[in-house]
Every structure is written in structure tokens, then in C-alpha cells.
Amino acid sequence: KQEVTQIPAALSVPEGENLVLNCSFTDSAIYNLQWFRQDPGKGLTSLLLIQSSQREQTSGRLNASLDKSSGRSTLYIAASQPGDSATYLCALENQAGTALIFGKGTTLSVSS
Amino acid sequence: GAGVSQTPSNKVTEKGKYVELRCDPISGHTALYWYRQSLGQGPEFLIYFQGTGAADDSGLPNDRFFAVRPEGSVSTLKIQRTERGDSAVYLCASSLSGGKDEQYFGPGTRLTVT
């Protein structure tokens, strides 16, 4: 059974710092991996989707990498801003391709 | 175009009551998903529809939970004899045709059972 773990559970950084959020998974036979952002009391916003044949995706100040062999993905945020404060969730498709399996998330706080 | 919408945004009900939660997917999306998110946890899968049929309902916790999508668009999640443990945010998502397509999430319905 696929399990997704996100470390750290919470992170506080000053504005301008570069940071890395980690996601690990137990079954390397994955399809897509998605990173989402969730603001308090809100739904999920998709940030980046990495297909299984890809190693990374970039969007603006965000870069996500995927290493299937080691069961890891990282989300790199450059030059963090207070508006980046949110919970970041990592999710993988299940083997049947019918659902996403989520980690518990990393709650990021960026102070000005 | 419009995103996924869910109604109501908040629902408070008493233990033992019946509730219905509605999801309007993105127009043209054939795949629809329901997830449940408890406080401090990531969303957990409940059920997946492809068109009108439930292609995977393995995440439904018990037979008090049921979902329908009669015309292949709007979906309703139904919970009978609600329990306090059912309190959570219920999220709906849709994708163009399922499989490896990206899922787009609605804002969720916060259900509180008192």
C-alpha cells in the first residue's frame, strides 16, 4: 500500500529565504506526482504536476523534482514571500489511476 | 471557465441526521472524485466516478456513505445517520477524463456534526 510522508510538518522562515519541502513515498511504481497548495479554510490549488517519465517541473519561483528510484520528491521555493504562507501537500496517483494519495502536508510560514 | 463548485460551503447537523453535499464539476470533465479531509490530515479518497458510474468506491468508510452522479455531471454525496466522527471537510475534484489527467479541486464543504 502506497504511503506518502512529508517532512517537516511545519516550517517557519524569514522572507527572501530559499527553502525545500520534502515528500517521500514507499512504492516507486508511480504515475503522476502533484504538489498542491492549501490556504486555511480553502480548497486545493495545483502547483506542479510531474509525470512519471519526467524528473522535474518548474513554474515561476517553484521547482519540483522527482526521483522514483529513491522514492522522493522535493518542492523548492526560491526567494520566499509572506504570500507563500500556506500548507503544501504532495500527492501520488494510486496504481489503479483512480485516486490521489496525499501526505499530511507541510505548513509553511514566511515572516516579513 | 468556472472551476469546481461545492454547496453548501458549511453544514452543521445533529448526530443521526441525513445530509447531502453537492459538487458541480468543470464543464466537460467526465471524471469526478470525492475526498474527505480531517483536521491536520491530507485528503483521503472516498469515491471516483467515470461518467455516471462509480468506477472505484473503495474509500467509502461504511454503508452510511453513498454518492450519485445520475447525469454524468453534478454529483451528490449522501451521508445517513451522521456521527460526530463524520465531521470533516469534504472535497470534490474533477478531471478531463480520469487516469493521469490533472485533478482540479473545489473549495470544499465543511461538515460539523454536533
Side-chain angles (χ1 to χ4, degrees), chain B residues 7-53:
Chain B
T7 54
S9 56
N10 281 282
K11 176 70 176 179
V12 181
T13 191
E14 294 180 348
K15 179 177 178 295
K17 298 290 189 182
Y18 168 83
V19 295
E20 291 189 350
L21 312 178
R22 175 186 168 110
C23 171
D24 273 277
I26 292 172
S27 178
H29 280 195
T30 63
L32 185 145
Y33 311 78
W34 284 99
Y35 294 83
R36 177 169 72 173
Q37 186 175 25
S38 300
L39 194 62
Q41 304 293 315
E44 293 181 322
F45 168 73
L46 295 176
I47 187 168
Y48 159 62
F49 285 91
Q50 182 56 253
T52 61

Side-chain angles (χ1 to χ4, degrees), chain B residues 91-111:
Chain B
L91 295 164
C92 176
S94 70
S95 70
L96 186 60
S97 56
K100 299 180 181 180
D101 290 341
E102 186 170 353
Q103 295 184 26
Y104 298 86
F105 281 77
T109 294
R110 181 174 298 278
L111 175 66

Side-chain angles (χ1 to χ4, degrees), chain A residues 31-32 34 36 38 41-44 46 49 89 93-94 97-100 102-104, chain B residues 33 35 37 40-43 45 48 56 91 98-103 105-107 110:
Chain A
Y31 296 99
N32 295 342
Q34 272 185 275
F36 291 89
Q38 186 171 34
K42 305 290 186 183
L44 278 63
S46 180
L49 182 151
L89 293 156
E93 273 196 19
N94 65 358
T98 58
L100 291 175
F102 285 84
K104 292 184 178 181
Chain B
Y33 311 78
Y35 294 83
Q37 186 175 25
Q41 304 293 315
F45 168 73
Y48 159 62
D56 183 352
L91 295 164
K100 299 180 181 180
D101 290 341
E102 186 170 353
Q103 295 184 26
F105 281 77
R110 181 174 298 278

Side-chain angles (χ1 to χ4, degrees), chain A residues 25-41:
Chain A
F25 44 92
T26 53
D27 185 348
S28 61
I30 68 168
Y31 296 99
N32 295 342
L33 183 145
Q34 272 185 275
W35 282 94
F36 291 89
R37 169 185 174 137
Q38 186 171 34
D39 292 282

Side-chain angles (χ1 to χ4, degrees), chain B residues 29-94:
Chain B
H29 280 195
T30 63
L32 185 145
Y33 311 78
W34 284 99
Y35 294 83
R36 177 169 72 173
Q37 186 175 25
S38 300
L39 194 62
Q41 304 293 315
E44 293 181 322
F45 168 73
L46 295 176
I47 187 168
Y48 159 62
F49 285 91
Q50 182 56 253
T52 61
D56 183 352
D57 65 357
S58 62
L60 294 177
N62 51 61
D63 61 6
R64 296 187 297 106
F65 288 74
F66 189 71
V68 296
R69 196 185 184 200
E71 297 178 358
S73 179
V74 171
S75 176
T76 304
L77 178 66
K78 307 180 180 192
I79 311 174
Q80 299 177 322
R81 304 184 303 281
T82 52
E83 300 177 356
R84 292 193 180 88
D86 299 335
S87 296
V89 175
Y90 290 80
L91 295 164
C92 176
S94 70

